[in-house]
Amino acid sequence: MPMGISKVLLVFIVGGLFSPVAAVSAGPDQEASAPNWATAAVRAPRVERRTFESAAARATVSYHVYVPEQYERTPGGRFPVLYWLHGSGGGLRGIKPLAAYFDAAIRAGRIAPMLVVFPNGFASSMWCDSKDGTVPMETVVVRELIPDVDARFRTVASRRGRLIEGFSMGGYGAARLGLKYHGTFGAVSILAGGPLDLDFRGPRAVAHAREREKILESVYGGDMAYYKAQSPLTLAESNAAQVRGRTRVRIVVGEQDDTFPLNREFGRRLARLGIR
């Protein structure tokens, strides 16, 4: 039988997610030095590399997907999907430990079987469509990758069977895509997400001023109005009525993380909008 999103959410209540998450942010991998829509294959148990031809990117796009053992055992069954967005620097090195983490949790019965999809978000795409149109990351993920996954795998192809989660840059991406495409995703999990301010001057941006300027120019075209329009804060305000009472939202951040104050304030802003 199709498994609803509430069962899958148990994964986010169980502790221990932070060790594999740390591996995702361990540093740049081959994606960072030479961004490419099609990455090398990651060799890991129950992980597959898939590709599709993207009209938006005009390129072959790759992604990786963890497939639980139960998928093969139940040929008629459909499975929910977690879309996991990596942080800055690239995500290839995080796929193997994260897939092992989810596999162990499924085998132990702590969470329901599900597919976990790892898109390729480059080193610093911010999971946005760049203003100049050269990197249509958001369009590729939402308009092309998700339909490709639903076409190739037996998924619960509705918002009740889709979750989006991410760490750091990926947390920012999960927040903005989950709040913007509330008809696509039923739950959003934000792990130490950022940037979560409208000025792009949070502690991490200030500490890495050159990287901030590079991202501001390459993704947002140096246009603060475009940056603000992409912000999870802006999207929460504009979509509050559609999200309120329908989308499950979780924010996780360590108290010693430099993104803690902005994540806490983001949670308070959501609460003021009636988004639990």
Side-chain angles (χ1 to χ4, degrees):
M1 293 178 63
M3 295 184 180
I5 209 163
S6 59
K7 293 185 179 179
V8 182
L9 281 171
L10 290 173
V11 68
F12 304 133
I13 301 172
V14 179
L17 189 56
F18 297 100
S19 294
V21 166
V24 177
S25 61
D29 51 32
Q30 62 193 58
E31 300 169 48
S33 59
N36 195 316
W37 287 100
T39 70
V42 171
R43 297 181 182 276
R46 310 210 64 78
V47 172
E48 304 175 9
R49 176 183 179 271
R50 295 297 182 100
T51 65
F52 62 90
E53 296 304 313
S54 166
R58 299 181 182 179
T60 300
V61 173
S62 69
Y63 61 92
H64 288 78
V65 56
Y66 160 80
V67 182
E69 184 177 347
Q70 290 84 347
Y71 186 88
E72 298 163 357
R73 291 181 177 178
T74 55
R78 293 193 170 272
F79 293 76
V81 185
L82 168 62
Y83 289 86
W84 211 97
L85 309 186
H86 63 74
S88 60
L92 287 186
R93 285 197 273 180
I95 292 174
K96 185 174 181 178
L98 280 166
Y101 170 81
F102 286 113
D103 185 69
I106 290 170
R107 290 178 181 276
R110 297 202 305 271
I111 60 173
M114 61 179 171
L115 302 169
V116 184
V117 172
F118 302 97
N120 166 29
F122 298 168
S124 56
S125 72
M126 306 309 293
W127 300 100
C128 293
D129 285 350
S130 62
K131 186 179 180 183
D132 64 8
T134 58
V135 182
M137 185 60 66
E138 176 181 322
T139 298
V140 168
V141 171
V142 177
R143 304 297 185 189
E144 298 181 329
L145 185 149
I146 291 176
D148 192 77
V149 171
D150 286 339
R152 291 172 181 257
F153 296 93
R154 287 178 279 106
T155 66
V156 178
S158 66
R159 71 183 306 277
R160 74 181 186 90
R162 293 195 197 98
L163 305 87
I164 189 164
E165 177 175 68
F167 171 71
S168 190
M169 176 183 83
Y172 166 88
R176 60 177 308 278
L177 295 182
L179 293 169
K180 182 175 182 178
Y181 298 98
H182 44 80
T184 299
F185 301 103
V188 181
S189 177
I190 305 157
L191 308 179
L196 291 177
D197 65 305
L198 292 177
D199 299 315
F200 202 5
R201 295 195 179 277
R204 191 165 294 176
V206 171
H208 303 279
R210 290 182 63 184
E211 185 67 15
R212 173 193 181 274
E213 292 306 313
K214 179 180 176 181
I215 292 172
L216 183 60
E217 182 60 36
S218 64
V219 178
Y220 307 104
D223 183 352
M224 285 302 299
Y226 187 71
Y227 166 80
K228 292 177 181 179
Q230 311 311 309
S231 172
L233 291 162
T234 302
L235 294 166
E237 293 278 352
S238 60
N239 295 319
Q242 292 79 20
V243 172
R244 188 183 300 120
R246 296 185 69 231
T247 302
R248 297 191 179 193
V249 180
R250 186 187 82 138
I251 302 174
V252 176
V253 60
E255 291 179 346
Q256 296 181 44
D257 193 293
D258 57 11
T259 68
F260 176 75
L262 289 174
N263 272 270
R264 181 171 56 182
E265 178 56 28
F266 181 58
R268 290 171 175 168
R269 291 278 293 272
L270 293 182
R272 289 196 290 271
L273 292 170
I275 301 172
R276 295 178 57 189

